Amino acid sequence: MTQTPPYQVTDPATGEVTETFSFATDAEVAEALAAATEAFAAWRLRPVAERSAIVKRIAELFTERAADLAALISKEMGKRPAQAVGEAEFCTDIFNYYADSGPGLIADKPLPGHDTARVEYRPVGPVLGVMPWNYPYYQVARFAAPNLIVGNTVILKHAENCPTSALAIAQIMKDAGVPDGVYINLFATHEQVAAAIADPRLRGVSLTGSERAGTAVAETAGRNLKKVVLELGGSDPYIILDTGDVEDAAKTAWVTRMENVGQACNSNKRMIVMDDIYDDFVAALVKRATAMSPRQPGDDSPRSYSPMVSRKAAENLLAQVQDAVSKGATLHVGGTLDDGKGAYFAPAVLTGVTPEMRAYREELFGPVAVVYKVSTDDEAVQLANVVDFGLGGAVWSTDEERAIKVAEQLEVGMANVNTPAGEGADLPFGGTKRSGFGRELGPLGIDEFVNKRLFYVEK
């Protein structure tokens, strides 16, 4: 039995379904696997300089079409227009990085002490990307770009609420000169994804999404001995040890938390603040939250907030906040959901969260700033590491050495000092613990789906 509803565009501001697309048939899935396998035979042998030139053109098209691409995802998942344009343009950076640096990253590597031994980086075959809705272009770029450079072929299963952006990416690939079968968009069901992973022609799968989705994909991949990369949820600690300007620190923290309406895996979901600045910091956050209002069509003011991706997502967040309040947490502002079918969730500041509350260990994937008070660096580290997630984390202090010492103790895949996050096409992204495994972007991102073959000649 296939899942319902089908791929469709639902305006999160109104709940109105504006476009609907049918699921792929089983025959179309079979055709995609066959086409990707056939195309791999030629694509893998194409000189890397030619593959890079095509990837370079993909990069150009993302910027050339940024405004049109942005309009699609603003409609699909509610992204603020300026952020949507920025996301499309960041894809240009990613494709450019791998077009420029990729050939060198996968060049043969000599092995010291062995004149006739080297490590070769060879493609493995068709790979599947199962992509999320929160960054519809960026997530695809960081999966597709390195694999196209390596010589793998790509099958892309996008989120069910992102069909028009998925089709726009496929059109960019075609217009850039990507050969037929090298990049295939597929509106697959969950059952069809499982069947594709089990197919011996598919050589790997990368998923960005929820723990539940990651568990299902990893289980199927493991049963079929397939390489898998998982980028799952996060509940990143954001530790402020001290600051010379509480208002400025709160501004940076709030802007970071409100990026994409709080719907970012590596958002600062848990703000851990020293007791001597805690009250002033919370008050500054509350002031900023109070000043915000729902974003209307055509509005891109930083004091307005977009709807969350869907009414269901907003209702799930509301339940988490209500659970915390019912057990003694303090909701200072926001935390309400408008009546109707839209997904406008008023940005909230929540304190007094304790271990028996869902908000203590669960990811709050929306515009809620949870703030904790601590009195020592050790207490901050202990609280930061208490959750099962381990994606990223940030530590702030006017004393850089102090911040570095604390950041070095974080159980995360990305530790940052005096910045919300080190981000760039050339910087690896990924986590540990239940935030997944494997890396995307940077030099590590091209290593995941390659055969690092030893080539040795006996003399």
Side-chain angles (χ1 to χ4, degrees):
M1 182 174 66
T2 58
Q3 68 223 69
T4 55
Y7 284 72
Q8 60 186 29
V9 177
T10 304
D11 186 344
T14 63
E16 177 188 3
V17 176
T18 60
E19 291 186 80
T20 301
F21 300 81
S22 299
F23 287 119
T25 64
D26 290 344
E28 288 170 334
V29 175
E31 290 169 6
L33 285 164
T37 302
E38 181 180 358
F40 174 64
W43 184 245
R44 69 180 299 179
L45 298 177
R46 198 154 175 173
V48 68
E50 293 184 12
R51 296 198 299 265
S52 296
I54 292 173
V55 170
K56 197 77 171 176
R57 181 57 183 151
I58 296 170
E60 293 170 352
L61 289 176
F62 265 97
T63 289
E64 289 177 16
R65 301 178 184 179
D68 292 337
L69 294 171
L72 294 178
I73 59 176
S74 291
K75 191 72 169 180
E76 285 178 339
M77 48 75 63
K79 193 178 293 282
R80 180 184 296 281
Q83 292 180 358
V85 170
E87 180 181 337
E89 292 175 342
F90 189 27
C91 293
T92 292
D93 295 342
I94 295 170
F95 282 103
N96 271 334
Y97 169 75
Y98 283 110
D100 295 339
S101 301
L105 293 173
I106 61 173
D108 293 349
K109 304 293 192 298
L111 290 172
H114 298 276
D115 293 339
T116 60
R118 64 180 182 266
V119 173
E120 302 173 329
Y121 291 74
R122 295 294 183 262
V124 295
V127 291
L128 172 66
V130 182
M131 297 291 105
W133 51 262
N134 58 332
Y135 291 92
Y137 301 125
Y138 160 69
Q139 301 282 3
V140 174
R142 67 189 201 178
F143 167 68
N147 281 297
L148 292 175
I149 291 294
V150 165
N152 294 327
T153 53
V154 172
I155 299 173
L156 201 290
K157 185 269 178 209
H158 217 316
E160 286 88 341
N161 62 323
C162 293
T164 60
S165 54
L167 292 173
I169 296 169
Q171 189 63 49
I172 284 177
M173 298 292 175
K174 181 178 179 179
D175 293 346
V178 176
D180 291 345
V182 172
Y183 183 96
I184 299 173
N185 179 72
L186 200 60
F187 288 156
T189 66
H190 296 163
E191 293 87 352
Q192 289 169 337
V193 167
I197 295 172
D199 191 294
R201 292 171 292 184
L202 193 81
R203 297 305 176 91
V205 57
S206 178
L207 175 136
T208 298
S210 66
E211 286 182 87
R212 184 169 61 87
T215 299
V217 165
E219 180 181 7
T220 304
R223 191 163 51 244
N224 292 281
L225 298 178
K226 300 294 175 67
K227 172 67 181 289
V228 62
V229 169
L230 299 177
E231 196 272 277
L232 308 179
S235 189
D236 289 10
Y238 187 96
I239 301 171
I240 302 180
L241 301 175
D242 61 73
T243 178
D245 188 334
V246 174
E247 284 287 340
D248 187 63
K251 176 184 177 181
T252 301
W254 184 253
V255 170
T256 302
R257 188 67 186 101
M258 286 301 297
E259 162 71 24
N260 208 29
V261 205
Q263 298 168 129
C265 297
N266 63 329
S267 182
N268 52 340
K269 300 188 178 79
R270 294 180 299 134
M271 302 180 194
I272 301 170
V273 183
M274 282 294 165
D275 51 8
D276 59 333
I277 57 173
Y278 172 85
D279 289 339
D280 290 341
F281 182 84
V282 170
L285 290 183
V286 171
K287 181 174 67 175
R288 291 188 171 275
T290 302
M292 301 196 75
S293 59
R295 181 174 67 81
Q296 302 303 317
D299 177 19
D300 207 13
S301 165
R303 288 195 172 186
S304 65
Y305 60 91
S306 296
M308 291 179 60
V309 66
S310 68
R311 182 77 182 185
K312 180 179 180 182
E315 290 172 346
N316 289 340
L317 181 63
L318 179 63
Q320 291 172 305
V321 171
Q322 290 177 336
D323 170 79
V325 172
S326 71
K327 295 173 181 176
T330 300
L331 180 62
H332 296 262
V333 62
T336 58
L337 181 59
D338 288 352
D339 295 334
K341 297 181 179 180
Y344 286 101
F345 188 96
V349 177
L350 190 66
T351 64
V353 171
T354 54
E356 66 272 13
M357 302 171 189
R358 293 175 57 191
Y360 188 80
R361 295 186 182 276
E362 294 181 7
E363 178 179 30
L364 300 187
F365 209 62
V368 178
V370 178
V371 191
Y372 294 89
K373 184 197 307 187
V374 293
S375 56
T376 67
D377 293 9
D378 288 343
E379 187 182 358
V381 170
Q382 183 179 10
L383 182 57
N385 291 335
V386 76
V387 298
D388 293 330
F389 296 105
L391 190 55
V395 182
W396 298 78
S397 175
T398 56
D399 181 344
E400 186 177 284
E401 289 187 8
R402 179 188 181 191
I404 289 174
K405 182 178 179 181
V406 170
E408 286 175 338
Q409 300 176 71
L410 299 182
E411 298 170 356
V412 298
M414 301 173 289
N416 304 278
V417 172
N418 289 336
T419 182
E423 295 182 338
D426 56 346
L427 295 176
F429 188 104
T432 187
K433 302 198 299 189
R434 292 191 68 83
S435 289
F437 41 79
R439 291 296 181 267
E440 294 177 298
L441 298 177
L444 303 185
I446 206 166
D447 273 357
E448 294 293 351
F449 295 104
V450 293
N451 172 21
K452 292 182 275 288
R453 182 173 72 179
L454 170 67
F455 199 91
Y456 181 85
V457 179
E458 180 67 28
K459 294 291 188 179

